[in-house]
Amino acid sequence: MSTLMSASRARLRSLLPERAEIAAYARRPRRDLLAGLTVAIVALPLALGFGISSGLGAAAGLATAVVAGAIAAVFGGSGLQVSGPTGAMTVVLVPIMHAHGASGVLTVGVLAGLLLIALALARAGKYMALVPAPVVEGFTLGIACVIGLQQIPGALGVPASHSDKVTVVAWQAARDFLAHPNWWPAAIAGAVAALMLAGARLRPTVPFSLLAVAAATVAAELAGLDVPRIGELPAGLPAPSLAFLDVSALGSLLAPAVAVAALAALESLLSAAVADGMSVNHKHDPDRELFGQGLANLVAPLFGGVPATGAIARTAVNVRSGAQSRLAALAHAAILAVIVFTASGLVAKIPLAALAGVLLATAFRMVEAGSVKAMLRSTRGDAVVLVLTALATVALDLVQAVILGLIVAGALALRAIARDVRLDAMPLRPDLPGDHTDEEHALLAEHIVAYRLDGPLFFAAAHRFLLQLSNVADVSVVILRMSRVTAIDASGALVLGDAITRLRRRGITVYISGIRDGHHQPLHALGVIADLDRAGHVFATTPEAIAAARDHLHRTGVLPAALEPDVVGE
């Protein structure tokens, strides 16, 4: 028991910040503080917009950016990661909000935080790198479509319908707008999106999102436009509270919490990997990243915040702005906190259509057209996985889409691997001049056939292998050369045993050669070669197996004693 406790404490210590990381805050504070300021300017409209899109309001988005952003900056596994509310998470939260209300969303955040911490303690971070690129690309494309559709009501200035299907929400918003058109919200959203997209091309370093929102707010105020606004915000963060927690509802919220935790893990580790690629010597720790995101999601709901993840767009801005340590992400959260305490009155006047324009532009910029085209042209399987994942993201939910993409990608990969499994008839000796006559060659080939198995022998290839081996023509001896079998599972072993049994029932003697060390266990455990082993028909090399087969044919009188062919090893 004490050993287990010591191991647990050691594991927990490995996930906590080290002194060297804290000391790095003071190396280049000016660059980090400037980077944090830049990220905060970019993050402000996004935090407001995603908070509103989630259904909990702008204040929830700000609380998430401040609280989760600060905690993940200190405890996360990436020194360059910036965390907060994201569009992908918003997509998952909308149906939870409709089904369980605000208290359900906050409870899901706490449960997801606990699950992420458990994943970190279980060292599950490394497995997230196994998600195939077409799944990630299709997932991103689908999220961009969903975020864009979510903004249609805000961009048109009409209330959003109470549906968890974004296509239904967008369609109903378009009908309501056509029934009573108000062109000002649409004009504001279009202008903000256009300014952001054009500005990003001309001056990528300028925070056009904030400039566009500020310009739209000033124009709406001066012109006295009748457009929906954010409305009153609290002048500060609320006191931490667990009043939202309903113990009786935990059972029904566990499945949504698993979905939120899975998405938070996937998006955060993907964002951290992007930061690694953009920097020179930086490398994130996936388990610590899960731990930091778990703590962030555990604490943020206590202040009214929604579940958070690592944010790819804000992380990229952080790296491009010259961030050197975690101080930049921490400064971003602190600056947003100052805005919450000092400028809530100004923020309240921002038109909702302006934030919808910001998120429309963000959704458009999420899609890397060149990368999608390249993936579609790569292989037919990659194209199928990408398109299927994207469509499932829009039609179903994000976690179901990723699971479906993984299943399809895995099935295609297994099919490709299974096609590599070969069962080739091999000559017993090379076609070189020798001491034996053509008649002796023909006599040997008439009675002994050797097959070499190449590749993995597992469930995906087992059936085809069984058909090939069972259709062996009438011979006296079959030698199976297995030195090139790269892997074997229970299904493959059982099929091999079935094939051997069928051959022996037909009176064919079977010999096996070259079984690798790691493959003996499944073959013995399932009794596949037990009879052959007892009969002395299992050999380390092919020459030994051929010699035994020749002796067998001599004893049974099939071959004359004078026939002594040369054999070739593996």
Side-chain angles (χ1 to χ4, degrees):
M1 186 67 177
S2 59
T3 304
L4 180 61
M5 292 294 293
S6 298
S8 300
R9 285 195 295 269
R11 178 61 185 151
L12 184 58
R13 281 197 300 270
S14 70
L15 298 173
L16 296 176
E18 299 175 355
R19 291 183 179 179
E21 294 175 357
I22 299 173
Y25 291 9
R27 287 179 187 170
R28 293 185 177 179
R30 183 177 179 182
R31 292 189 65 175
D32 284 333
L33 292 174
L34 287 175
L37 175 61
T38 304
V39 177
I41 291 172
V42 172
L44 177 60
L46 294 176
L48 294 170
F50 288 136
I52 293 171
S53 295
S54 70
L56 270 74
L62 282 175
T64 305
V66 172
V67 178
I71 294 175
V74 175
F75 293 97
S78 171
L80 304 176
Q81 177 94 286
V82 178
S83 300
T86 64
M89 186 60 73
T90 299
V91 173
V92 175
L93 296 180
V94 169
I96 299 175
M97 179 67 181
H98 287 158
H100 302 282
S103 62
V105 173
L106 299 178
T107 303
V108 162
V110 172
L111 294 176
L114 293 173
L115 290 172
L116 287 168
I117 292 173
L119 288 174
L121 293 172
R123 295 183 172 90
K126 58 181 178 289
Y127 297 110
M128 301 304 294
L130 301 179
V131 179
V135 175
V136 175
E137 202 69 49
F139 175 74
T140 305
L141 177 60
I143 288 173
C145 294
V146 172
I147 293 173
L149 291 171
Q150 281 181 338
Q151 307 316 309
I152 300 301
L156 298 179
V158 298
S161 62
H162 297 288
S163 173
D164 58 356
K165 299 296 183 185
V166 291
T167 51
V168 174
V169 172
W171 173 250
Q172 188 61 47
R175 291 182 59 184
D176 292 345
F177 173 78
L178 292 175
H180 304 283
N182 178 8
W183 292 101
W184 284 117
I188 291 173
V192 169
L195 181 59
M196 281 185 62
L197 294 175
R201 284 181 171 272
L202 299 174
R203 296 288 181 86
T205 58
V206 177
F208 280 98
S209 59
L210 187 64
L211 294 178
V213 170
T217 304
V218 171
E221 283 294 302
L222 294 178
L225 299 180
D226 183 18
V227 293
R229 313 293 179 104
I230 287 179
E232 185 177 354
L233 293 174
L237 295 175
S241 171
L242 276 172
F244 61 83
L245 191 61
D246 181 3
V247 178
S248 63
L250 293 180
S252 61
L253 293 174
L254 185 58
V258 171
V260 168
L263 177 59
L266 177 65
E267 190 172 11
S268 297
L269 293 177
L270 177 62
S271 177
V274 169
D276 289 350
M278 295 178 65
S279 59
V280 179
N281 296 317
H282 186 269
K283 181 72 174 176
H284 78 281
D285 182 330
D287 292 329
R288 280 194 57 191
E289 184 60 31
L290 292 179
F291 183 74
Q293 296 296 335
L295 285 180
N297 281 286
L298 186 63
V299 177
L302 306 185
F303 294 87
V306 298
T309 74
I312 296 178
R314 276 157 274 180
T315 298
V317 171
N318 192 40
V319 178
R320 292 194 188 105
S321 300
Q324 300 293 310
S325 74
R326 301 167 184 270
L327 179 60
L330 195 57
H332 133 271
I335 292 168
L336 289 178
V338 172
I339 293 173
V340 170
F341 280 99
T342 61
S344 59
L346 295 175
V347 172
K349 298 178 181 180
I350 296 175
L352 293 178
L355 296 179
V358 170
L359 298 187
L360 284 170
T362 301
F364 184 83
R365 292 172 61 184
M366 284 177 66
V367 181
E368 295 286 347
S371 179
V372 172
K373 288 180 181 178
M375 201 74 67
L376 291 174
R377 294 172 181 170
S378 174
T379 66
R380 183 179 299 177
D382 289 341
V384 168
V385 172
L386 188 153
V387 173
L388 190 62
T389 304
L391 292 176
T393 301
V394 176
L396 304 174
D397 68 52
L398 303 193
V399 176
Q400 288 177 341
V402 171
I403 292 174
L404 180 62
L406 287 174
I407 291 173
V408 174
L412 292 174
L414 288 176
R415 187 183 70 169
I417 295 173
R419 286 177 175 174
D420 289 338
V421 180
R422 297 195 309 275
L423 183 69
D424 298 326
M426 305 299 295
L428 299 181
R429 57 191 176 189
D431 189 15
L432 296 172
D435 298 329
H436 307 293
T437 64
D438 291 341
E439 288 78 13
E440 290 171 332
H441 283 256
L443 185 60
L444 189 67
E446 182 180 344
H447 293 285
I448 302 176
V449 60
Y451 284 96
R452 187 177 70 196
L453 282 69
D454 281 352
L457 184 59
F458 68 132
F459 70 94
H463 181 67
R464 185 164 58 90
F465 164 78
L466 175 62
L467 292 177
Q468 285 184 262
L469 194 55
S470 298
N471 290 331
V472 172
D474 289 335
V475 293
S476 300
V477 175
V478 168
I479 298 174
L480 299 178
R481 300 167 59 178
M482 298 184 60
S483 63
R484 297 194 181 184
V485 174
T486 56
I488 186 167
D489 68 357
S491 298
L494 289 173
V495 166
L496 177 63
D498 193 9
I500 292 172
T501 300
R502 294 189 185 194
L503 290 173
R504 296 177 72 183
R505 284 174 180 171
R506 290 166 52 191
I508 298 173
T509 303
V510 179
Y511 294 88
I512 294 181
S513 70
I515 299 175
R516 294 186 178 186
D517 291 339
H519 300 166
H520 282 278
Q521 181 176 349
L523 294 174
H524 279 290
L526 297 169
V528 173
I529 60 173
D531 290 343
L532 294 181
D533 219 355
R534 284 192 292 269
H537 289 189
V538 179
F539 299 93
T541 65
T542 300
E544 293 175 289
I546 295 176
R550 189 175 62 241
D551 291 342
H552 168 74
L553 295 178
H554 289 331
R555 289 194 305 272
T556 57
V558 176
L559 291 181
L563 185 61
E564 294 289 342
D566 296 331
V567 296
V568 175
E570 292 291 69

